[in-house]
């Protein structure tokens, strides 16, 4: 028995015929038929007995007649053959038997028909029930199929909506990235205060005549900004981007100071140059003691005048933040013949540990043993390859032996090697994840002062991460170190070497 799904009562199993009335009627038909068959059988037997008696008597009579016809008496003796035998006699017996059988069959046929009709009704009822069940199952399947189709349709609609939203988000991100890139590029190139270095030497009649010959031989008109160098014409690569990088001798986070002479000295000064034509990155290091023109201010921040001094002092004449950086950028640009600088980036030396940690430690090879003590931390590194801990990196970059002559140059050489190794490691990490420079920047931001915006940083990262860089791309301003009148070291640069270096890095030959 199974539970009725409507009222919960026990009902007949769903596999049994639904139309019970027909089954019951069918059973009655079968029972009546059996009883009727018994009556018919008894009647048939009686009739058969009567028929058998009649048939026997008739057969005897026929037999007697036949014997008489064949000349035999009742005792079987032959009698004279007065008549020819009757050929139809045997057939009569067969006809009687056939008639008897036919009579029985004719009388029993109605009952058999009735019995078959009962069975047929029972079968028809069963088939009808099976058909109803099949119809119900088919209907259930169709209904279930429709539900599944509706469910699948809803899922497709939801999935389509989600994919559409994701596509729009991706498209928006791409468009935003493109806008940021375009905006970053535009603002970077607009920030430079000059359009190119001023490299024109003092014009003489000889130079003017040489330029006239060049114009005649090459069928060109001399353009402003062109430079004649070793018998060739060069022009400034306006697509180059140059940034000033400074390391300030403060271990604390950036803090604006009120005194006009306590902004902190720039112990590390270099230019980072990105050339999209050659897909290369170059560094130009500047000795902190390089003697050049600087703007001098008093403690109140008021301008005193121009003077010749160590370029590292220019950052000290400021607020230790934006003001100091802008004044140092101006001094470096003037030193490089009014070179366009597209941004600055200063970092307090207290961030060295964080810089080293940001790339998982910088690995480099030392050409000689290094031993030093700084801020209570002792470091001893033998010659060979090392992956610096944060403390080791801090001491290696900042330590300077003031008792050693030209110790600023010695330290600068160590800094160049470390920076080259750091940039190489940063490039590897950026190749894996283009957002690494931004993550490093965010981690170091409390120690950093920069005028490079997020859009400009995005443009730089996305367009320069695959530029080539190695130690051969590091240049240094050449010169000599002397003890000046103030008993401090002074670095006197070589202007011809500086001129040649600018031509090599920033200019291209005019074809």
């Amino acid at each position: 028995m199974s539970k009725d799904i409507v009222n919960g009562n026990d009902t007949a199993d769903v596999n049994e015929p639904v139309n019970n009335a027909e089954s019951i009627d069918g059973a009655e038909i079968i029972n009546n038929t059996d009883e009727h068959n018994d009556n018919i059988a008894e009647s048939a037997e009686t009739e058969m007995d009567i028929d058998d008696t009649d048939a026997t008597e008739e057969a005897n009579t026929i037999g007697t007649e036949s014997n008489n016809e064949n000349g035999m008496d009742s005792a079987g003796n032959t009698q004279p053959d007065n008549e020819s035998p009757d050929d139809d006699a045997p057939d009569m017996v067969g006809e009687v038997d056939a008639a008897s059988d036919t009579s029985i069959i004719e009388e029993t046929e109605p009952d058999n028909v009735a019995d078959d009709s009962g069975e047929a009704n029972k079968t028809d009822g069963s088939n009808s029930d099976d058909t109803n069940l099949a119809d119900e199952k088919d209907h259930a399947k169709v209904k279930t199929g429709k539900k599944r189709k509706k469910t699948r349709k809803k899922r497709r609609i939801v999935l389509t909506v989600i994919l559409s939203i994701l596509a729009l988000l991706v498209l928006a991100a791409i468009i935003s990235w493109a806008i940021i890139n375009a905006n970053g590029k535009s603002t970077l190139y607009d920030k430079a205060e000059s359009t190119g270095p001023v490299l024109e030497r003092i014009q003489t009649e000889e130079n003017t005549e040489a330029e006239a010959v060049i114009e005649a031989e090459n069928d060109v008109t001399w353009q402003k900004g062109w430079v004649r160098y070793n018998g060739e014409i060069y022009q400034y690569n306006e697509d180059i981007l140059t940034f000033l990088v400074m390391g300030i001798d403060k271990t604390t986070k950036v803090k604006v100071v009120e005194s006009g002479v306590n902004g902190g000295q720039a112990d590390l000064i270099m230019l980072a140059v990105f050339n999209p034509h050659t897909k290369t990155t170059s560094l130009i290091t500047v000795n902190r003691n390089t003697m050049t023109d600087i703007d001098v201010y008093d403690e109140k921040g008021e301008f005193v005048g121009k003077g010749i001094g160590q370029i590292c002092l220019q950052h000290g004449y400021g607020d230790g933040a934006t003001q100091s950086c802008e004044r140092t950028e101006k001094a470096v640009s003037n030193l490089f013949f009014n070179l366009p600088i597209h941004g600055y980036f200063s970092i307090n030396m207290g961030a060295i540990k964080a810089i080293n940690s940001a790339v998982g430690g910088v690995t480099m090879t030392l050409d000689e043993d290094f031993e030093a003590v700084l801020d209570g931390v002792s470091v001893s590194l033998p010659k060979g390859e090392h992956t610096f801990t944060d403390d080791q990196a801090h001491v290696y970059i900042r330590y300077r032996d003031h008792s050693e002559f030209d110790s600023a140059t010695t330290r600068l050489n160590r800094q160049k090697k470390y920076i080259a190794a750091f940039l190489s490691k940063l490039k590897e990490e950026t190749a894996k994840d283009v957002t690494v420079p931004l993550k490093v920047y965010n981690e170091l931001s409390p120690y950093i002062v920069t005028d490079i915006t997020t859009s400009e940083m995005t443009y730089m990262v996305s367009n320069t991460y695959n530029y080539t860089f190695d130690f051969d791309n590091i240049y240094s301003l050449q010169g000599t170190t002397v003890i000046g009148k103030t008993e401090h070291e002074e670095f006197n640069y070589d202007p011809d070497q500086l001129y040649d270096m600018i031509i090599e890095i920033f200019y291209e030959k005019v074809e």
Side-chain angles (χ1 to χ4, degrees):
M1 303 292 288
S2 62
K3 295 294 182 179
D4 191 316
I5 60 175
V6 176
N7 55 29
N9 297 326
D10 291 337
T11 63
D13 190 85
V14 293
N15 292 324
E16 295 179 358
V18 177
N19 193 347
N20 291 329
E22 293 185 10
S23 299
I24 294 172
D25 292 341
E28 292 174 352
I29 291 172
I30 292 171
N31 292 335
N32 292 336
T33 300
D34 291 341
E35 183 179 354
H36 184 62
N37 286 341
D38 291 340
N39 294 332
I40 294 243
E42 292 177 0
S43 175
E45 288 177 359
T46 304
E47 290 180 359
M48 288 177 66
D49 291 339
I50 295 173
D51 289 340
D52 288 342
T53 302
D54 293 340
T56 302
E57 291 176 356
E58 184 177 356
N60 291 332
T61 303
I62 293 172
T64 302
E65 292 177 354
S66 177
N67 289 334
N68 290 332
E69 291 175 356
N70 291 327
M72 297 179 64
D73 57 15
S74 58
N77 296 321
T78 303
Q79 293 182 1
D81 187 7
N82 296 327
E83 295 180 5
S84 50
D86 188 357
D87 294 334
D88 294 334
D91 293 335
M92 292 176 62
V93 178
E95 288 177 359
V96 172
D97 293 339
S100 299
D101 292 340
T102 301
S103 176
I104 295 173
I105 292 172
E106 288 177 352
E107 291 181 358
T108 58
E109 276 182 353
D111 294 327
N112 290 338
V113 170
D115 182 64
D116 291 343
S117 176
E119 293 292 336
N121 290 337
K122 182 178 180 180
T123 303
D124 290 344
S126 177
N127 290 339
S128 175
D129 294 340
D130 291 342
T131 301
N132 291 337
L133 284 175
D135 290 342
E136 290 179 2
K137 290 180 180 180
D138 290 341
H139 179 70
K141 288 181 179 179
V142 171
K143 190 173 182 181
T144 302
K146 289 182 178 179
K147 288 183 178 180
R148 288 178 179 175
K149 288 182 179 179
K150 289 181 180 180
T151 302
R152 285 196 296 266
K153 185 176 181 180
K154 289 180 180 179
R155 288 178 180 174
R156 283 197 297 268
I157 293 174
V158 173
L159 183 60
T160 301
V161 171
I162 293 174
L163 291 177
S164 299
I165 294 174
L166 290 176
L168 289 175
L169 291 175
V170 171
L171 180 61
I174 293 173
I175 294 175
S176 299
W177 184 272
I179 293 174
I180 291 173
N181 270 341
N183 183 61
K185 179 180 180 180
S186 176
T187 57
L188 277 174
Y189 283 102
D190 290 342
K191 284 166 69 172
E193 295 185 2
S194 66
T195 58
V198 181
L199 295 183
E200 292 83 353
R201 301 289 181 91
I202 298 176
Q203 297 296 310
T204 62
E205 290 185 7
E206 181 181 354
N207 291 336
T208 303
E209 291 176 359
E211 291 173 1
V213 171
I214 292 175
E215 290 181 1
E217 291 179 350
N218 296 278
D219 192 23
V220 296
T221 301
W222 194 265
Q223 302 293 324
K224 182 180 180 180
W226 282 7
V227 175
R228 183 171 57 85
Y229 179 75
N230 293 336
E232 303 286 348
I233 302 175
Y234 288 83
Q235 65 180 356
Y236 175 68
N237 181 359
E238 295 182 350
D239 292 329
I240 276 182
L241 288 172
T242 305
F243 300 91
L244 173 64
V245 180
M246 297 163 282
I248 312 304
D249 65 343
K250 289 188 175 183
T251 58
T252 60
K253 296 179 180 179
V254 173
K255 182 180 179 180
V256 176
V257 297
E258 296 180 359
S259 174
V261 295
N262 196 29
Q265 298 182 9
D267 281 347
L268 172 66
I269 300 174
M270 65 180 181
L271 293 173
V273 184
F274 299 90
N275 188 340
H277 294 178
T278 60
K279 302 293 183 183
T280 57
T281 301
S282 302
L283 296 178
I284 303 173
T285 61
V286 179
N287 192 305
R288 70 182 297 278
N289 294 324
T290 299
M291 302 300 290
T292 188
D293 292 334
I294 60 174
D295 293 334
V296 180
Y297 296 83
D298 60 18
E299 292 184 357
K300 295 180 180 180
E302 296 180 358
F303 178 70
V304 175
K306 288 186 176 292
I308 303 295
Q310 297 165 320
I311 196 169
C312 65
L313 298 177
Q314 186 64 83
H315 190 276
Y317 290 117
D319 62 355
T322 301
Q323 189 181 73
S324 292
C325 291
E326 290 176 348
R327 292 174 179 175
T328 304
E329 180 184 55
K330 178 182 176 182
V332 173
S333 177
N334 290 336
L335 174 63
F336 280 76
F337 299 98
N338 201 33
L339 178 72
I341 296 178
H342 303 90
Y344 59 78
F345 183 93
S346 77
I347 183 168
N348 287 0
M349 289 297 190
I352 294 175
K353 295 180 181 181
I355 291 174
N356 188 77
S357 176
V359 293
V362 172
T363 300
M364 58 180 296
T365 301
L366 303 182
D367 298 330
E368 57 185 8
D369 297 344
F370 175 78
E371 294 185 2
V373 178
L374 179 66
D375 298 334
V377 178
S378 176
V379 173
S380 178
L381 299 172
K383 178 181 178 180
E385 184 179 277
H386 298 276
T387 297
F388 285 177
T389 65
D390 297 342
D391 285 333
Q392 290 171 343
H394 179 78
V395 175
Y396 185 81
I397 291 175
R398 289 199 62 213
Y399 176 75
R400 177 185 176 190
D401 186 357
H402 292 274
S403 63
E404 177 187 341
F405 176 73
D406 201 17
S407 59
T409 301
T410 302
R411 181 175 63 181
L412 180 59
N413 290 333
R414 293 200 309 269
Q415 291 173 343
K416 287 193 299 183
K417 294 177 182 178
Y418 181 87
I419 291 171
F422 169 77
L423 292 177
S424 178
K425 185 67 176 293
L426 181 62
K427 180 181 177 181
E428 292 178 6
E429 297 300 320
T430 304
K432 302 175 185 176
D433 181 2
V434 73
T435 64
V436 167
L438 294 177
K439 293 177 181 178
V440 173
Y441 171 78
N442 290 331
E443 185 174 346
L444 303 180
S445 58
Y447 298 90
I448 292 174
V449 177
T450 182
D451 64 344
I452 303 173
T453 65
T454 301
S455 61
E456 293 169 348
M457 180 73 73
T458 301
Y459 171 78
M460 290 301 301
V461 170
S462 61
N463 288 276
T464 65
Y465 76 93
N466 61 343
Y467 283 17
T468 59
F469 173 81
D470 55 40
F471 194 75
D472 293 336
N473 295 116
I474 300 179
Y475 300 82
S476 296
L477 182 59
Q478 301 297 314
T480 57
T481 299
V482 298
I483 300 298
K485 295 179 180 179
T486 59
E487 299 300 322
H488 292 91
E489 292 180 0
E490 297 177 356
F491 181 81
N492 298 317
Y493 70 93
D494 181 352
D496 289 333
Q497 184 268 337
L498 173 59
Y499 186 92
D500 294 342
M501 182 171 62
I502 291 176
I503 292 291
E504 179 182 356
I505 298 173
F506 297 94
Y507 278 73
E508 295 175 328
K509 186 185 296 185
V510 176
E511 300 295 340

